[in-house]
Amino acid sequence: QQQVKQSPQSLIVQKGGISIINCAYENTAFDYFPWYQQFPGKGPALLIAIRPDVSEKKEGRFTISFNKSAKQFSLHIMDSQPGDSATYFCAASMWGQNFVFGPGTRLSVLP
Amino acid sequence: DTEVTQTPKHLVMGMTNKKSLKCEQHMGHRAMYWYKQKAKKPPELMFVYSYEKLSINESVPSRFSPECPNSSLLNLHLHALQPEDSALYLCASSQVLSGTYNEQFFGPGTRLTVL
């Protein structure tokens, strides 16, 4: 119930393409869904986050789509750039506690 | 200042050594966290402090001892570690432990190697 599943494990995209990473959860008490970006040797950085009262949130080239009934959410990176190559983690929490990360997706954007 | 700083960046220690990791934030956050991250894995929560009091201990072995001397500082004292404890240790902070404003901000981590 506390688990967050994430797919794919790795993703290769051409420059300018769309990167899509999917996550799924079981616990309906989760109320906060952030995405983190992590470069090698660095700590995770908050990229974008959504709460279950909205179905989509967009910030620049990054969009979260949220499907409450399916208990799924996804990250779309438009016009992917080589600088976006990193590991992406989805996460979920309940009222700020019980913070759970997905296993991560390694994104490589080819020039 | 929107940064979480961690020192040292790298640490190599023997199994009999005692060392400490330090974390600092000046964002006025009242919740601070220690995570352990192994290669190609997500961060795993170890400890959470809320208003300088230990709120969560995720069954971490006693060879890891956290300390929160004030609202800006978080330490992790290490003693008699094992080689399998080698990992990236991440500190994070958030405005409060629970509620709406719970975005966590991570530091760059300390890369620990236990010989």
Side-chain angles (χ1 to χ4, degrees):
Chain A
Q1 271 251 323
Q2 287 293 85
Q3 198 177 16
V4 175
K5 296 179 181 178
Q6 184 173 346
S7 63
Q9 189 174 16
S10 62
L11 179 62
I12 300 175
V13 173
Q14 292 286 340
K15 178 182 175 181
I18 302 174
S19 304
I20 301 174
I21 305 171
N22 301 299
C23 285
Y25 62 97
E26 288 296 322
N27 192 338
T28 54
F30 285 140
D31 62 358
Y32 175 66
F33 302 90
W35 284 90
Y36 283 88
Q37 178 189 56
Q38 186 175 26
F39 294 104
K42 304 291 186 184
L46 179 65
L47 195 60
I48 186 171
I50 198 168
R51 298 194 186 276
D53 53 344
V54 297
S55 60
E56 186 174 284
K57 183 174 181 181
K58 185 176 180 179
E59 289 185 2
R61 295 184 294 111
F62 302 93
T63 299
I64 299 180
S65 296
F66 187 83
N67 186 329
K68 190 173 181 178
S69 60
K71 291 184 284 186
Q72 294 175 349
F73 58 110
S74 60
L75 175 70
H76 295 235
I77 305 175
M78 312 298 288
D79 187 26
S80 298
Q81 299 296 311
D84 297 330
S85 298
T87 299
Y88 292 81
F89 294 101
C90 62
S93 72
M94 287 179 286
W95 198 234
Q97 303 190 45
N98 300 309
F99 213 82
V100 179
F101 282 88
T105 295
R106 297 185 75 180
L107 171 65
S108 296
V109 181
L110 303 178
Chain B
D1 186 354
T2 58
E3 214 180 0
V4 175
T5 59
Q6 289 187 246
T7 54
K9 289 186 178 179
H10 301 276
L11 178 62
V12 179
M13 60 185 291
M15 289 190 287
T16 58
N17 292 158
K18 284 186 180 181
K19 296 286 184 183
S20 296
L21 309 184
K22 180 181 172 181
C23 173
E24 196 165 1
Q25 57 88 16
H26 295 288
M27 295 180 278
H29 290 177
R30 302 313 298 271
M32 297 186 77
Y33 311 74
W34 280 116
Y35 287 85
K36 173 182 177 180
Q37 186 177 28
K38 302 284 271 185
K40 299 184 180 181
K41 296 291 186 182
E44 295 176 27
L45 184 64
M46 299 174 71
F47 302 103
V48 182
Y49 274 82
S50 178
Y51 291 88
E52 296 93 71
K53 286 186 168 48
L54 184 63
S55 291
I56 298 173
N57 177 342
E58 293 286 354
S59 303
V60 179
S62 60
R63 56 186 184 269
F64 295 92
S65 175
E67 179 196 17
C68 190
N70 60 56
S71 61
S72 300
L73 280 175
L74 185 66
N75 298 320
L76 185 62
H77 302 297
L78 314 172
H79 174 55
L81 295 193
Q82 304 296 310
E84 59 264 30
D85 296 322
S86 298
L88 182 67
Y89 287 84
L90 295 162
C91 174
S93 70
S94 64
Q95 285 195 18
V96 291
L97 176 57
S98 60
T100 305
Y101 301 103
N102 57 0
E103 288 85 351
Q104 292 190 24
F105 295 84
F106 283 82
T110 293
R111 174 71 62 189
L112 174 67
T113 303
V114 182
L115 300 176

